[in-house]
PDB file of all heavy atoms in Angstrom:
ATOM      1  N   VAL A 393     -38.580  15.692  -2.892  1.00 97.00           N
ATOM      2  CA  VAL A 393     -37.147  15.947  -2.687  1.00 97.00           C
ATOM      3  C   VAL A 393     -37.028  17.327  -2.049  1.00 97.00           C
ATOM      4  O   VAL A 393     -37.535  18.303  -2.607  1.00 97.00           O
ATOM      5  CB  VAL A 393     -36.386  15.903  -4.033  1.00 97.00           C
ATOM      6  CG1 VAL A 393     -34.936  16.325  -3.852  1.00 97.00           C
ATOM      7  CG2 VAL A 393     -36.471  14.510  -4.649  1.00 97.00           C
ATOM      8  N   PRO A 394     -36.398  17.443  -0.873  1.00 96.00           N
ATOM      9  CA  PRO A 394     -36.339  18.753  -0.217  1.00 96.00           C
ATOM     10  C   PRO A 394     -35.489  19.751  -1.011  1.00 96.00           C
ATOM     11  O   PRO A 394     -34.391  19.404  -1.463  1.00 96.00           O
ATOM     12  CB  PRO A 394     -35.699  18.444   1.144  1.00 96.00           C
ATOM     13  CG  PRO A 394     -35.057  17.120   1.013  1.00 96.00           C
ATOM     14  CD  PRO A 394     -35.750  16.385  -0.083  1.00 96.00           C
ATOM     15  N   PRO A 395     -36.003  20.971  -1.198  1.00 96.00           N
ATOM     16  CA  PRO A 395     -35.262  21.997  -1.944  1.00 96.00           C
ATOM     17  C   PRO A 395     -33.901  22.306  -1.318  1.00 96.00           C
ATOM     18  O   PRO A 395     -32.989  22.760  -2.012  1.00 96.00           O
ATOM     19  CB  PRO A 395     -36.174  23.218  -1.864  1.00 96.00           C
ATOM     20  CG  PRO A 395     -37.525  22.683  -1.568  1.00 96.00           C
ATOM     21  CD  PRO A 395     -37.324  21.443  -0.772  1.00 96.00           C
ATOM     22  N   SER A 396     -33.759  22.010  -0.017  1.00 96.00           N
ATOM     23  CA  SER A 396     -32.487  22.310   0.667  1.00 96.00           C
ATOM     24  C   SER A 396     -31.307  21.593  -0.002  1.00 96.00           C
ATOM     25  O   SER A 396     -30.150  21.989   0.196  1.00 96.00           O
ATOM     26  CB  SER A 396     -32.583  21.892   2.135  1.00 96.00           C
ATOM     27  OG  SER A 396     -32.777  20.492   2.226  1.00 96.00           O
ATOM     28  N   ILE A 397     -31.595  20.590  -0.802  1.00 96.00           N
ATOM     29  CA  ILE A 397     -30.519  19.844  -1.462  1.00 96.00           C
ATOM     30  C   ILE A 397     -29.676  20.771  -2.355  1.00 96.00           C
ATOM     31  O   ILE A 397     -28.488  20.527  -2.584  1.00 96.00           O
ATOM     32  CB  ILE A 397     -31.110  18.639  -2.251  1.00 96.00           C
ATOM     33  CG1 ILE A 397     -30.081  17.509  -2.354  1.00 96.00           C
ATOM     34  CG2 ILE A 397     -31.624  19.043  -3.622  1.00 96.00           C
ATOM     35  CD1 ILE A 397     -30.691  16.137  -2.574  1.00 96.00           C
ATOM     36  N   GLY A 398     -30.322  21.883  -2.783  1.00 96.00           N
ATOM     37  CA  GLY A 398     -29.614  22.857  -3.611  1.00 96.00           C
ATOM     38  C   GLY A 398     -28.518  23.599  -2.857  1.00 96.00           C
ATOM     39  O   GLY A 398     -27.705  24.309  -3.454  1.00 96.00           O
ATOM     40  N   ALA A 399     -28.461  23.410  -1.537  1.00 97.00           N
ATOM     41  CA  ALA A 399     -27.415  24.062  -0.745  1.00 97.00           C
ATOM     42  C   ALA A 399     -26.080  23.343  -0.870  1.00 97.00           C
ATOM     43  O   ALA A 399     -25.028  23.881  -0.498  1.00 97.00           O
ATOM     44  CB  ALA A 399     -27.842  24.129   0.720  1.00 97.00           C
ATOM     45  N   LEU A 400     -26.120  22.117  -1.383  1.00 97.00           N
ATOM     46  CA  LEU A 400     -24.874  21.339  -1.514  1.00 97.00           C
ATOM     47  C   LEU A 400     -24.167  21.788  -2.782  1.00 97.00           C
ATOM     48  O   LEU A 400     -24.115  21.086  -3.788  1.00 97.00           O
ATOM     49  CB  LEU A 400     -25.215  19.838  -1.537  1.00 97.00           C
ATOM     50  CG  LEU A 400     -26.001  19.344  -0.320  1.00 97.00           C
ATOM     51  CD1 LEU A 400     -26.411  17.892  -0.502  1.00 97.00           C
ATOM     52  CD2 LEU A 400     -25.177  19.524   0.947  1.00 97.00           C
ATOM     53  N   LEU A 403     -21.739  19.880  -5.339  1.00 98.00           N
ATOM     54  CA  LEU A 403     -22.055  18.533  -5.823  1.00 98.00           C
ATOM     55  C   LEU A 403     -21.712  18.381  -7.302  1.00 98.00           C
ATOM     56  O   LEU A 403     -22.016  19.244  -8.121  1.00 98.00           O
ATOM     57  CB  LEU A 403     -23.547  18.236  -5.661  1.00 98.00           C
ATOM     58  CG  LEU A 403     -24.058  17.634  -4.363  1.00 98.00           C
ATOM     59  CD1 LEU A 403     -25.514  17.224  -4.551  1.00 98.00           C
ATOM     60  CD2 LEU A 403     -23.228  16.432  -3.928  1.00 98.00           C
ATOM     61  N   LEU A 406     -25.133  13.469  -8.337  1.00 98.00           N
ATOM     62  CA  LEU A 406     -26.311  13.326  -7.481  1.00 98.00           C
ATOM     63  C   LEU A 406     -27.205  12.233  -8.043  1.00 98.00           C
ATOM     64  O   LEU A 406     -27.675  12.333  -9.180  1.00 98.00           O
ATOM     65  CB  LEU A 406     -27.067  14.660  -7.403  1.00 98.00           C
ATOM     66  CG  LEU A 406     -28.392  14.639  -6.616  1.00 98.00           C
ATOM     67  CD1 LEU A 406     -28.173  14.250  -5.162  1.00 98.00           C
ATOM     68  CD2 LEU A 406     -29.086  16.004  -6.707  1.00 98.00           C
ATOM     69  N   LEU A 408     -30.601  10.175  -7.267  1.00 97.00           N
ATOM     70  CA  LEU A 408     -31.815   9.993  -6.474  1.00 97.00           C
ATOM     71  C   LEU A 408     -32.739   8.992  -7.153  1.00 97.00           C
ATOM     72  O   LEU A 408     -33.880   8.793  -6.725  1.00 97.00           O
ATOM     73  CB  LEU A 408     -32.542  11.344  -6.313  1.00 97.00           C
ATOM     74  CG  LEU A 408     -31.762  12.463  -5.615  1.00 97.00           C
ATOM     75  CD1 LEU A 408     -32.532  13.779  -5.705  1.00 97.00           C
ATOM     76  CD2 LEU A 408     -31.474  12.109  -4.164  1.00 97.00           C
ATOM     77  N   THR A 416     -42.650  17.695  -7.599  1.00 95.00           N
ATOM     78  CA  THR A 416     -41.807  18.276  -8.636  1.00 95.00           C
ATOM     79  C   THR A 416     -40.338  18.221  -8.209  1.00 95.00           C
ATOM     80  O   THR A 416     -40.020  18.164  -7.016  1.00 95.00           O
ATOM     81  CB  THR A 416     -42.172  19.754  -8.893  1.00 95.00           C
ATOM     82  OG1 THR A 416     -42.101  20.447  -7.648  1.00 95.00           O
ATOM     83  CG2 THR A 416     -43.569  19.883  -9.467  1.00 95.00           C
ATOM     84  N   ILE A 417     -39.489  18.247  -9.205  1.00 94.00           N
ATOM     85  CA  ILE A 417     -38.047  18.265  -8.919  1.00 94.00           C
ATOM     86  C   ILE A 417     -37.694  19.685  -8.518  1.00 94.00           C
ATOM     87  O   ILE A 417     -38.006  20.628  -9.249  1.00 94.00           O
ATOM     88  CB  ILE A 417     -37.263  17.833 -10.166  1.00 94.00           C
ATOM     89  CG1 ILE A 417     -37.621  16.373 -10.505  1.00 94.00           C
ATOM     90  CG2 ILE A 417     -35.770  17.990  -9.968  1.00 94.00           C
ATOM     91  CD1 ILE A 417     -37.301  15.979 -11.924  1.00 94.00           C
ATOM     92  N   PRO A 418     -37.076  19.895  -7.351  1.00 95.00           N
ATOM     93  CA  PRO A 418     -36.839  21.274  -6.899  1.00 95.00           C
ATOM     94  C   PRO A 418     -35.945  22.064  -7.860  1.00 95.00           C
ATOM     95  O   PRO A 418     -34.948  21.534  -8.359  1.00 95.00           O
ATOM     96  CB  PRO A 418     -36.171  21.106  -5.529  1.00 95.00           C
ATOM     97  CG  PRO A 418     -35.879  19.669  -5.355  1.00 95.00           C
ATOM     98  CD  PRO A 418     -36.621  18.891  -6.374  1.00 95.00           C
ATOM     99  N   ASP A 419     -36.342  23.316  -8.095  1.00 94.00           N
ATOM    100  CA  ASP A 419     -35.572  24.214  -8.970  1.00 94.00           C
ATOM    101  C   ASP A 419     -34.134  24.363  -8.484  1.00 94.00           C
ATOM    102  O   ASP A 419     -33.218  24.570  -9.266  1.00 94.00           O
ATOM    103  CB  ASP A 419     -36.200  25.614  -8.994  1.00 94.00           C
ATOM    104  CG  ASP A 419     -37.538  25.602  -9.705  1.00 94.00           C
ATOM    105  OD1 ASP A 419     -37.800  24.610 -10.444  1.00 94.00           O
ATOM    106  OD2 ASP A 419     -38.295  26.569  -9.528  1.00 94.00           O
ATOM    107  N   SER A 420     -33.982  24.282  -7.148  1.00 95.00           N
ATOM    108  CA  SER A 420     -32.660  24.536  -6.558  1.00 95.00           C
ATOM    109  C   SER A 420     -31.583  23.617  -7.142  1.00 95.00           C
ATOM    110  O   SER A 420     -30.405  23.972  -7.144  1.00 95.00           O
ATOM    111  CB  SER A 420     -32.730  24.362  -5.040  1.00 95.00           C
ATOM    112  OG  SER A 420     -33.122  23.034  -4.736  1.00 95.00           O
ATOM    113  N   ILE A 421     -31.990  22.444  -7.640  1.00 95.00           N
ATOM    114  CA  ILE A 421     -31.009  21.533  -8.248  1.00 95.00           C
ATOM    115  C   ILE A 421     -30.362  22.193  -9.466  1.00 95.00           C
ATOM    116  O   ILE A 421     -29.183  21.969  -9.761  1.00 95.00           O
ATOM    117  CB  ILE A 421     -31.666  20.172  -8.605  1.00 95.00           C
ATOM    118  CG1 ILE A 421     -31.975  19.406  -7.312  1.00 95.00           C
ATOM    119  CG2 ILE A 421     -30.765  19.336  -9.514  1.00 95.00           C
ATOM    120  CD1 ILE A 421     -32.539  18.015  -7.512  1.00 95.00           C
ATOM    121  N   GLY A 422     -31.145  23.074 -10.106  1.00 93.00           N
ATOM    122  CA  GLY A 422     -30.619  23.799 -11.265  1.00 93.00           C
ATOM    123  C   GLY A 422     -29.474  24.747 -10.909  1.00 93.00           C
ATOM    124  O   GLY A 422     -28.707  25.172 -11.768  1.00 93.00           O
ATOM    125  N   ASN A 423     -29.342  25.051  -9.609  1.00 91.00           N
ATOM    126  CA  ASN A 423     -28.268  25.968  -9.185  1.00 91.00           C
ATOM    127  C   ASN A 423     -26.939  25.255  -8.924  1.00 91.00           C
ATOM    128  O   ASN A 423     -25.953  25.907  -8.587  1.00 91.00           O
ATOM    129  CB  ASN A 423     -28.671  26.698  -7.896  1.00 91.00           C
ATOM    130  CG  ASN A 423     -29.923  27.538  -8.089  1.00 91.00           C
ATOM    131  OD1 ASN A 423     -30.226  27.943  -9.211  1.00 91.00           O
ATOM    132  ND2 ASN A 423     -30.652  27.765  -7.018  1.00 91.00           N
ATOM    133  N   LEU A 424     -26.985  23.950  -9.014  1.00 96.00           N
ATOM    134  CA  LEU A 424     -25.760  23.204  -8.715  1.00 96.00           C
ATOM    135  C   LEU A 424     -24.835  23.280  -9.933  1.00 96.00           C
ATOM    136  O   LEU A 424     -24.892  22.449 -10.837  1.00 96.00           O
ATOM    137  CB  LEU A 424     -26.102  21.751  -8.359  1.00 96.00           C
ATOM    138  CG  LEU A 424     -26.990  21.585  -7.124  1.00 96.00           C
ATOM    139  CD1 LEU A 424     -27.420  20.138  -6.951  1.00 96.00           C
ATOM    140  CD2 LEU A 424     -26.278  22.088  -5.874  1.00 96.00           C
ATOM    141  N   ALA A 425     -23.976  24.292  -9.904  1.00 96.00           N
ATOM    142  CA  ALA A 425     -23.204  24.648 -11.094  1.00 96.00           C
ATOM    143  C   ALA A 425     -22.234  23.554 -11.535  1.00 96.00           C
ATOM    144  O   ALA A 425     -21.901  23.449 -12.705  1.00 96.00           O
ATOM    145  CB  ALA A 425     -22.438  25.940 -10.830  1.00 96.00           C
ATOM    146  N   ASN A 426     -21.784  22.757 -10.595  1.00 97.00           N
ATOM    147  CA  ASN A 426     -20.759  21.766 -10.942  1.00 97.00           C
ATOM    148  C   ASN A 426     -21.308  20.368 -11.181  1.00 97.00           C
ATOM    149  O   ASN A 426     -20.540  19.426 -11.370  1.00 97.00           O
ATOM    150  CB  ASN A 426     -19.706  21.710  -9.835  1.00 97.00           C
ATOM    151  CG  ASN A 426     -18.785  22.913  -9.897  1.00 97.00           C
ATOM    152  OD1 ASN A 426     -18.868  23.726 -10.812  1.00 97.00           O
ATOM    153  ND2 ASN A 426     -17.909  23.015  -8.927  1.00 97.00           N
ATOM    154  N   LEU A 427     -22.626  20.273 -11.179  1.00 97.00           N
ATOM    155  CA  LEU A 427     -23.238  18.958 -11.327  1.00 97.00           C
ATOM    156  C   LEU A 427     -23.028  18.421 -12.743  1.00 97.00           C
ATOM    157  O   LEU A 427     -23.431  19.042 -13.724  1.00 97.00           O
ATOM    158  CB  LEU A 427     -24.743  19.076 -11.034  1.00 97.00           C
ATOM    159  CG  LEU A 427     -25.490  17.812 -10.638  1.00 97.00           C
ATOM    160  CD1 LEU A 427     -24.910  17.198  -9.374  1.00 97.00           C
ATOM    161  CD2 LEU A 427     -26.969  18.117 -10.435  1.00 97.00           C
ATOM    162  N   ASN A 429     -23.288  14.740 -13.197  1.00 97.00           N
ATOM    163  CA  ASN A 429     -24.071  13.511 -13.262  1.00 97.00           C
ATOM    164  C   ASN A 429     -25.295  13.650 -12.376  1.00 97.00           C
ATOM    165  O   ASN A 429     -25.155  13.810 -11.164  1.00 97.00           O
ATOM    166  CB  ASN A 429     -23.260  12.312 -12.773  1.00 97.00           C
ATOM    167  CG  ASN A 429     -22.087  12.016 -13.672  1.00 97.00           C
ATOM    168  OD1 ASN A 429     -21.170  12.815 -13.794  1.00 97.00           O
ATOM    169  ND2 ASN A 429     -22.115  10.861 -14.309  1.00 97.00           N
ATOM    170  N   LEU A 430     -26.485  13.567 -12.986  1.00 97.00           N
ATOM    171  CA  LEU A 430     -27.728  13.687 -12.239  1.00 97.00           C
ATOM    172  C   LEU A 430     -28.649  12.552 -12.642  1.00 97.00           C
ATOM    173  O   LEU A 430     -28.959  12.389 -13.830  1.00 97.00           O
ATOM    174  CB  LEU A 430     -28.382  15.037 -12.550  1.00 97.00           C
ATOM    175  CG  LEU A 430     -29.769  15.276 -11.943  1.00 97.00           C
ATOM    176  CD1 LEU A 430     -29.717  15.261 -10.429  1.00 97.00           C
ATOM    177  CD2 LEU A 430     -30.353  16.606 -12.451  1.00 97.00           C
ATOM    178  N   TYR A 431     -29.046  11.731 -11.672  1.00 97.00           N
ATOM    179  CA  TYR A 431     -29.931  10.605 -11.954  1.00 97.00           C
ATOM    180  C   TYR A 431     -31.216  10.767 -11.166  1.00 97.00           C
ATOM    181  O   TYR A 431     -31.185  10.824  -9.941  1.00 97.00           O
ATOM    182  CB  TYR A 431     -29.259   9.279 -11.593  1.00 97.00           C
ATOM    183  CG  TYR A 431     -27.945   9.085 -12.307  1.00 97.00           C
ATOM    184  CD1 TYR A 431     -26.742   9.424 -11.694  1.00 97.00           C
ATOM    185  CD2 TYR A 431     -27.911   8.595 -13.610  1.00 97.00           C
ATOM    186  CE1 TYR A 431     -25.535   9.280 -12.357  1.00 97.00           C
ATOM    187  CE2 TYR A 431     -26.709   8.437 -14.284  1.00 97.00           C
ATOM    188  CZ  TYR A 431     -25.529   8.783 -13.645  1.00 97.00           C
ATOM    189  OH  TYR A 431     -24.343   8.646 -14.308  1.00 97.00           O
ATOM    190  N   LEU A 432     -32.322  10.848 -11.888  1.00 96.00           N
ATOM    191  CA  LEU A 432     -33.622  11.052 -11.242  1.00 96.00           C
ATOM    192  C   LEU A 432     -34.645  10.023 -11.700  1.00 96.00           C
ATOM    193  O   LEU A 432     -35.777  10.026 -11.213  1.00 96.00           O
ATOM    194  CB  LEU A 432     -34.143  12.448 -11.567  1.00 96.00           C
ATOM    195  CG  LEU A 432     -33.283  13.632 -11.107  1.00 96.00           C
ATOM    196  CD1 LEU A 432     -33.783  14.929 -11.726  1.00 96.00           C
ATOM    197  CD2 LEU A 432     -33.276  13.745  -9.588  1.00 96.00           C
ATOM    198  N   PHE A 437     -42.108  11.307 -10.121  1.00 93.00           N
ATOM    199  CA  PHE A 437     -42.194  12.763 -10.224  1.00 93.00           C
ATOM    200  C   PHE A 437     -43.328  13.158 -11.150  1.00 93.00           C
ATOM    201  O   PHE A 437     -43.624  12.470 -12.128  1.00 93.00           O
ATOM    202  CB  PHE A 437     -40.882  13.325 -10.777  1.00 93.00           C
ATOM    203  CG  PHE A 437     -39.749  13.248  -9.797  1.00 93.00           C
ATOM    204  CD1 PHE A 437     -38.611  12.495 -10.092  1.00 93.00           C
ATOM    205  CD2 PHE A 437     -39.796  13.919  -8.582  1.00 93.00           C
ATOM    206  CE1 PHE A 437     -37.555  12.420  -9.203  1.00 93.00           C
ATOM    207  CE2 PHE A 437     -38.746  13.845  -7.689  1.00 93.00           C
ATOM    208  CZ  PHE A 437     -37.621  13.097  -7.993  1.00 93.00           C
TER     209      PHE A 437
END
Side-chain angles (χ1 to χ4, degrees):
V393 173
S396 63
I397 208 156
L400 303 174
L403 271 190
L406 176 61
L408 300 172
T416 55
I417 296 161
D419 291 343
S420 61
I421 289 184
N423 299 335
L424 299 173
N426 285 355
L427 202 60
N429 295 65
L430 175 62
Y431 303 96
L432 299 169
F437 289 118

